[in-house]
Amino acid sequence: MTVIKITSAEVAERAGVSQSAVSRVFTPGASASRKTAEKVRKAAMELGYRPNALARAMVSGKSRIIGLVVAYLENQFYPDVLEKLSNALQAEGYHVLIFMASQTAGNIEGVVDEILDYQVDGIIAASVAMTSDLSERCRAAGVPMVMFNRSQDTPHMSAVTSDNIAGGRKVAEFLIAGGHQKIGYIAGWEGASTQRDREAGFTQGLKDAGTTLHKRGVGNFGMEDARAATLEMFSEDAPDAVFVANDHMAMAVMDTLRFELGLKVPEDVSVVGYDDVPTAAWPAYGLTTVRQPANRMVAETVDILLSKINDIDVNPRKVEIDGPLVLRKSARVPEGWTE
């Protein structure tokens, strides 16, 4: 069976308008009167016409596609954020292509090359490590990039994160106020700026209160590594509280404490996480955690990216958004303490 491709010229003839009017109707952001748009869309539906997005991109130089790179989706924070980013970009007339990479900068090199082959208009790198050289390659290709929930020390990279240092400090103040004497910390992947800054704020908060970290483990943002770190940390001279670098690990820590070590949370040990993923509010966990303001982070990311698409030379922006400490049942709440 031969499929006959309907052209924009045929749609224009059926609708009684010019071919350029058809093009404007199907071009996001282009101007066309409501009456013209109605006639064109009616004719297109009757004829079975679909605009050729790839051909339009070749003519305009704009694909209306954003490449979205993410390292891992096990953490509930990222599927939720990807949905928010996709919806926000689609509302602006863009489509999203999702690419998977590992957390390390070395792996993303090949992924970015693949993304650039798709002639994307911009890139959002979520939870992945970047290099300044890689950023410069994207810039040289005329493709702006924004980092989401990661940052780089280089001033040339735009990035949007929560205020991780302030969040870590809030947890330290909370646990100290709760009377905890032996406070532990389970780190995420140590190549991540989020891990670095949360720990820096936390340890500085402890230092300001005249105390130091009792024990430290590394969970690499993974549940199995977090379990192993918990077993080691609580093998002797156990902490009476532990701050975990994200909720994904914190839930594994809670399960390990309760079901493998026979400890009660928070009676024997308080647990605090970071992110405020949906599962954190489940009664089985009731996790006290620092909330990442995902909606505001997404809005800032899209705003920065679109401004850079319109002007590649616009100054880079680094945005840190403060998030609240959400009190639930996994940690002892100091008397009179409110969010």
Side-chain angles (χ1 to χ4, degrees):
M1 178 178 175
T2 302
V3 177
I4 300 174
K5 291 285 187 180
I6 303 299
T7 67
S8 60
E10 292 172 287
V11 174
E13 182 179 359
R14 171 70 70 94
V17 301
S18 67
Q19 193 170 352
S20 63
V22 174
S23 177
R24 288 195 301 275
V25 168
F26 289 108
T27 299
S31 176
S33 70
R34 181 177 177 179
K35 182 178 180 181
T36 296
E38 288 177 349
K39 289 195 296 183
V40 168
R41 293 189 184 281
K42 182 174 184 293
M45 185 175 65
E46 291 171 351
L47 293 171
Y49 169 77
R50 295 296 303 170
N52 189 328
L54 294 177
R56 186 170 63 228
M58 292 177 65
V59 173
S60 67
K62 296 292 184 182
S63 65
R64 309 296 293 186
I65 295 173
I66 302 299
L68 184 52
V69 191
V70 64
Y72 61 109
L73 295 176
E74 294 91 344
N75 181 353
Q76 289 184 19
F77 179 69
Y78 289 106
D80 181 57
V81 160
L82 293 187
E83 181 179 0
K84 287 179 167 63
L85 281 168
S86 296
N87 289 339
L89 289 165
Q90 286 172 11
E92 297 291 339
Y94 288 86
H95 302 283
V96 174
L97 282 180
I98 296 176
F99 296 80
M100 298 299 298
S102 73
Q103 297 183 99
T104 60
N107 175 266
I108 198 176
E109 298 260 351
V111 175
V112 169
D113 283 338
E114 183 181 354
I115 293 174
L116 293 176
D117 288 342
Y118 279 85
Q119 304 294 308
V120 297
D121 290 346
I123 298 173
I124 297 173
S127 74
V128 292
M130 300 292 296
T131 66
S132 56
D133 288 346
L134 196 54
S135 174
E136 186 55 39
R137 279 169 51 196
C138 293
R139 179 182 171 81
V143 179
M145 175 182 290
V146 180
M147 298 188 71
F148 181 90
N149 202 37
R150 286 287 192 277
S151 187
Q152 297 288 115
D153 293 332
T154 171
H156 306 299
M157 183 86 74
S158 292
V160 177
T161 66
S162 63
D163 192 336
N164 291 291
I165 291 178
R169 186 179 291 113
K170 287 178 185 178
V171 176
E173 293 169 352
F174 171 76
L175 293 176
I176 292 293
H180 296 286
Q181 301 294 318
K182 297 179 178 181
I183 301 175
Y185 176 70
I186 294 182
W189 177 59
E190 298 192 88
S193 64
T194 48
Q195 145 57 32
R196 176 197 67 199
D197 292 347
R198 289 170 194 177
E199 183 170 7
F202 184 60
T203 54
Q204 185 60 52
L206 295 178
K207 182 178 179 181
D208 291 345
T211 189
T212 58
L213 194 65
H214 178 61
K215 279 194 172 183
R216 183 184 189 273
V218 179
N220 288 312
F221 290 138
M223 298 189 84
E224 190 55 42
D225 283 357
R227 172 184 174 272
T230 304
L231 291 173
E232 181 177 355
M233 181 177 288
F234 284 81
S235 61
E236 59 179 353
D237 196 17
D240 58 7
V242 60
F243 173 36
V244 190
N246 74 0
D247 291 353
H248 183 63
M249 293 191 298
M251 287 180 278
V253 170
M254 290 180 68
D255 286 345
T256 304
L257 291 171
R258 294 185 297 187
F259 303 124
E260 295 191 57
L261 299 177
L263 297 173
K264 294 181 179 179
V265 178
E267 292 85 352
D268 297 322
V269 55
S270 291
V271 178
V272 179
Y274 201 112
D275 282 341
D276 195 26
V277 300
T279 309
W282 289 10
Y285 294 103
L287 180 63
T288 292
T289 184
V290 178
R291 175 177 294 156
Q292 293 224 70
N295 289 333
R296 292 174 59 195
M297 291 168 66
V298 165
E300 288 284 356
T301 301
V302 172
D303 181 68
I304 292 172
L305 185 64
L306 296 188
S307 69
K308 290 178 73 67
I309 288 173
N310 292 326
D311 180 4
I312 191 68
D313 292 319
V314 71
N315 290 332
R317 287 162 53 194
K318 292 187 185 296
V319 178
E320 296 179 341
I321 304 174
D322 191 28
L325 178 65
V326 181
L327 305 183
R328 296 195 179 98
K329 297 181 178 180
S330 69
R332 184 192 309 162
V333 178
E335 186 176 350
W337 191 281
T338 58
E339 294 183 32

